[in-house]
mmCIF file of all heavy atoms in Angstrom:
data_model
loop_
_atom_site.group_PDB
_atom_site.id
_atom_site.type_symbol
_atom_site.label_atom_id
_atom_site.label_comp_id
_atom_site.label_asym_id
_atom_site.label_seq_id
_atom_site.Cartn_x
_atom_site.Cartn_y
_atom_site.Cartn_z
ATOM 1 N N ASP A 160 -21.440 29.640 29.619
ATOM 2 C CA ASP A 160 -20.373 28.755 29.141
ATOM 3 C C ASP A 160 -19.641 28.160 30.334
ATOM 4 O O ASP A 160 -18.790 28.803 30.950
ATOM 5 C CB ASP A 160 -19.394 29.540 28.262
ATOM 6 C CG ASP A 160 -19.943 29.796 26.877
ATOM 7 O OD1 ASP A 160 -21.156 29.572 26.669
ATOM 8 O OD2 ASP A 160 -19.171 30.208 25.997
ATOM 9 N N THR A 161 -19.986 26.920 30.656
ATOM 10 C CA THR A 161 -19.411 26.291 31.843
ATOM 11 C C THR A 161 -19.367 24.779 31.694
ATOM 12 O O THR A 161 -20.131 24.202 30.921
ATOM 13 C CB THR A 161 -20.228 26.672 33.100
ATOM 14 O OG1 THR A 161 -19.536 26.237 34.279
ATOM 15 C CG2 THR A 161 -21.620 26.059 33.088
ATOM 16 N N ILE A 162 -18.457 24.186 32.454
ATOM 17 C CA ILE A 162 -18.493 22.744 32.625
ATOM 18 C C ILE A 162 -19.322 22.467 33.881
ATOM 19 O O ILE A 162 -19.816 23.391 34.524
ATOM 20 C CB ILE A 162 -17.064 22.153 32.730
ATOM 21 C CG1 ILE A 162 -16.315 22.742 33.942
ATOM 22 C CG2 ILE A 162 -16.301 22.412 31.429
ATOM 23 C CD1 ILE A 162 -14.980 22.068 34.230
ATOM 24 N N PHE A 163 -19.503 21.207 34.227
ATOM 25 C CA PHE A 163 -20.275 20.866 35.423
ATOM 26 C C PHE A 163 -19.366 21.015 36.646
ATOM 27 O O PHE A 163 -18.335 20.376 36.735
ATOM 28 C CB PHE A 163 -20.801 19.431 35.327
ATOM 29 C CG PHE A 163 -21.869 19.120 36.333
ATOM 30 C CD1 PHE A 163 -23.205 19.195 35.987
ATOM 31 C CD2 PHE A 163 -21.540 18.782 37.639
ATOM 32 C CE1 PHE A 163 -24.195 18.934 36.916
ATOM 33 C CE2 PHE A 163 -22.521 18.518 38.578
ATOM 34 C CZ PHE A 163 -23.861 18.591 38.218
ATOM 35 N N THR A 164 -19.743 21.880 37.565
ATOM 36 C CA THR A 164 -18.935 22.168 38.751
ATOM 37 C C THR A 164 -19.803 22.082 40.004
ATOM 38 O O THR A 164 -21.032 21.958 39.913
ATOM 39 C CB THR A 164 -18.348 23.593 38.686
ATOM 40 O OG1 THR A 164 -19.445 24.521 38.733
ATOM 41 C CG2 THR A 164 -17.541 23.814 37.410
ATOM 42 N N ASP A 165 -19.161 22.193 41.160
ATOM 43 C CA ASP A 165 -19.913 22.222 42.420
ATOM 44 C C ASP A 165 -20.870 23.412 42.454
ATOM 45 O O ASP A 165 -21.967 23.323 43.009
ATOM 46 C CB ASP A 165 -18.956 22.304 43.614
ATOM 47 C CG ASP A 165 -18.190 21.004 43.821
ATOM 48 O OD1 ASP A 165 -18.596 19.972 43.243
ATOM 49 O OD2 ASP A 165 -17.179 21.013 44.557
ATOM 50 N N ASP A 166 -20.443 24.547 41.871
ATOM 51 C CA ASP A 166 -21.305 25.729 41.843
ATOM 52 C C ASP A 166 -22.535 25.506 40.970
ATOM 53 O O ASP A 166 -23.642 25.927 41.323
ATOM 54 C CB ASP A 166 -20.527 26.949 41.334
ATOM 55 C CG ASP A 166 -19.533 27.477 42.358
ATOM 56 O OD1 ASP A 166 -19.950 27.780 43.487
ATOM 57 O OD2 ASP A 166 -18.332 27.579 42.029
ATOM 58 N N VAL A 167 -22.338 24.859 39.835
ATOM 59 C CA VAL A 167 -23.469 24.545 38.953
ATOM 60 C C VAL A 167 -24.429 23.604 39.677
ATOM 61 O O VAL A 167 -25.656 23.797 39.661
ATOM 62 C CB VAL A 167 -22.959 23.919 37.632
ATOM 63 C CG1 VAL A 167 -24.108 23.344 36.818
ATOM 64 C CG2 VAL A 167 -22.192 24.956 36.813
ATOM 65 N N GLN A 168 -23.864 22.599 40.329
ATOM 66 C CA GLN A 168 -24.694 21.652 41.083
ATOM 67 C C GLN A 168 -25.466 22.369 42.194
ATOM 68 O O GLN A 168 -26.664 22.122 42.385
ATOM 69 C CB GLN A 168 -23.805 20.556 41.682
ATOM 70 C CG GLN A 168 -24.581 19.501 42.454
ATOM 71 C CD GLN A 168 -23.736 18.285 42.762
ATOM 72 O OE1 GLN A 168 -23.165 17.671 41.871
ATOM 73 N NE2 GLN A 168 -23.642 17.930 44.033
ATOM 74 N N LYS A 169 -24.782 23.265 42.894
ATOM 75 C CA LYS A 169 -25.427 24.036 43.964
ATOM 76 C C LYS A 169 -26.585 24.867 43.425
ATOM 77 O O LYS A 169 -27.662 24.937 44.039
ATOM 78 C CB LYS A 169 -24.383 24.939 44.621
ATOM 79 C CG LYS A 169 -24.913 25.826 45.746
ATOM 80 C CD LYS A 169 -23.795 26.694 46.311
ATOM 81 C CE LYS A 169 -24.325 27.709 47.316
ATOM 82 N NZ LYS A 169 -23.271 28.602 47.825
ATOM 83 N N ALA A 170 -26.362 25.516 42.264
ATOM 84 C CA ALA A 170 -27.425 26.334 41.666
ATOM 85 C C ALA A 170 -28.659 25.488 41.351
ATOM 86 O O ALA A 170 -29.795 25.901 41.610
ATOM 87 C CB ALA A 170 -26.908 27.022 40.404
ATOM 88 N N LEU A 171 -28.438 24.298 40.813
ATOM 89 C CA LEU A 171 -29.559 23.429 40.450
ATOM 90 C C LEU A 171 -30.289 22.892 41.683
ATOM 91 O O LEU A 171 -31.521 22.877 41.735
ATOM 92 C CB LEU A 171 -29.067 22.262 39.591
ATOM 93 C CG LEU A 171 -28.557 22.622 38.186
ATOM 94 C CD1 LEU A 171 -27.921 21.406 37.526
ATOM 95 C CD2 LEU A 171 -29.666 23.191 37.309
ATOM 96 N N ILE A 172 -29.519 22.475 42.700
ATOM 97 C CA ILE A 172 -30.117 21.831 43.877
ATOM 98 C C ILE A 172 -30.707 22.855 44.849
ATOM 99 O O ILE A 172 -31.816 22.674 45.358
ATOM 100 C CB ILE A 172 -29.069 20.955 44.595
ATOM 101 C CG1 ILE A 172 -28.706 19.745 43.719
ATOM 102 C CG2 ILE A 172 -29.575 20.487 45.956
ATOM 103 C CD1 ILE A 172 -27.568 18.908 44.257
ATOM 104 N N GLU A 173 -29.964 23.928 45.119
ATOM 105 C CA GLU A 173 -30.398 24.870 46.153
ATOM 106 C C GLU A 173 -31.337 25.955 45.628
ATOM 107 O O GLU A 173 -32.283 26.345 46.308
ATOM 108 C CB GLU A 173 -29.177 25.508 46.834
ATOM 109 C CG GLU A 173 -28.355 24.489 47.617
ATOM 110 C CD GLU A 173 -27.204 25.128 48.375
ATOM 111 O OE1 GLU A 173 -27.187 26.368 48.533
ATOM 112 O OE2 GLU A 173 -26.315 24.378 48.818
ATOM 113 N N LEU A 174 -31.078 26.445 44.421
ATOM 114 C CA LEU A 174 -31.935 27.505 43.881
ATOM 115 C C LEU A 174 -33.193 26.943 43.206
ATOM 116 O O LEU A 174 -34.182 27.644 43.037
ATOM 117 C CB LEU A 174 -31.146 28.370 42.898
ATOM 118 C CG LEU A 174 -29.919 29.086 43.484
ATOM 119 C CD1 LEU A 174 -29.158 29.831 42.403
ATOM 120 C CD2 LEU A 174 -30.330 30.044 44.600
ATOM 121 N N LYS A 175 -33.110 25.673 42.788
ATOM 122 C CA LYS A 175 -34.261 24.975 42.196
ATOM 123 C C LYS A 175 -34.927 25.763 41.058
ATOM 124 O O LYS A 175 -36.128 26.082 41.105
ATOM 125 C CB LYS A 175 -35.308 24.651 43.267
ATOM 126 C CG LYS A 175 -34.819 23.696 44.344
ATOM 127 C CD LYS A 175 -35.932 23.370 45.322
ATOM 128 C CE LYS A 175 -35.541 22.273 46.287
ATOM 129 N NZ LYS A 175 -34.376 22.605 47.129
ATOM 130 N N PRO A 176 -34.175 26.108 40.031
ATOM 131 C CA PRO A 176 -34.774 26.885 38.932
ATOM 132 C C PRO A 176 -35.839 26.091 38.178
ATOM 133 O O PRO A 176 -35.694 24.887 37.960
ATOM 134 C CB PRO A 176 -33.567 27.169 38.020
ATOM 135 C CG PRO A 176 -32.616 26.045 38.288
ATOM 136 C CD PRO A 176 -32.768 25.733 39.750
ATOM 137 N N ASP A 177 -36.900 26.780 37.786
ATOM 138 C CA ASP A 177 -37.930 26.140 36.961
ATOM 139 C C ASP A 177 -37.402 25.846 35.565
ATOM 140 O O ASP A 177 -37.839 24.890 34.911
ATOM 141 C CB ASP A 177 -39.152 27.057 36.860
ATOM 142 C CG ASP A 177 -39.815 27.291 38.213
ATOM 143 O OD1 ASP A 177 -40.055 26.300 38.935
ATOM 144 O OD2 ASP A 177 -40.072 28.462 38.551
ATOM 145 N N ILE A 178 -36.482 26.710 35.094
ATOM 146 C CA ILE A 178 -35.880 26.556 33.764
ATOM 147 C C ILE A 178 -34.370 26.721 33.928
ATOM 148 O O ILE A 178 -33.917 27.615 34.644
ATOM 149 C CB ILE A 178 -36.388 27.633 32.788
ATOM 150 C CG1 ILE A 178 -37.917 27.672 32.742
ATOM 151 C CG2 ILE A 178 -35.812 27.421 31.388
ATOM 152 C CD1 ILE A 178 -38.480 29.010 32.305
ATOM 153 N N ALA A 179 -33.602 25.865 33.277
ATOM 154 C CA ALA A 179 -32.136 26.002 33.303
ATOM 155 C C ALA A 179 -31.612 25.925 31.876
ATOM 156 O O ALA A 179 -31.946 24.997 31.134
ATOM 157 C CB ALA A 179 -31.503 24.896 34.151
ATOM 158 N N THR A 180 -30.819 26.917 31.476
ATOM 159 C CA THR A 180 -30.219 26.869 30.138
ATOM 160 C C THR A 180 -28.849 26.220 30.224
ATOM 161 O O THR A 180 -28.157 26.333 31.234
ATOM 162 C CB THR A 180 -30.065 28.269 29.517
ATOM 163 O OG1 THR A 180 -28.975 28.950 30.146
ATOM 164 C CG2 THR A 180 -31.337 29.094 29.664
#
Side-chain angles (χ1 to χ4, degrees):
D160 283 12
T161 189
I162 61 172
F163 194 97
T164 65
D165 289 345
D166 287 305
V167 169
Q168 182 167 305
K169 179 181 173 183
L171 292 172
I172 292 173
E173 294 184 15
L174 300 176
K175 297 183 172 61
D177 297 312
I178 307 156
T180 75

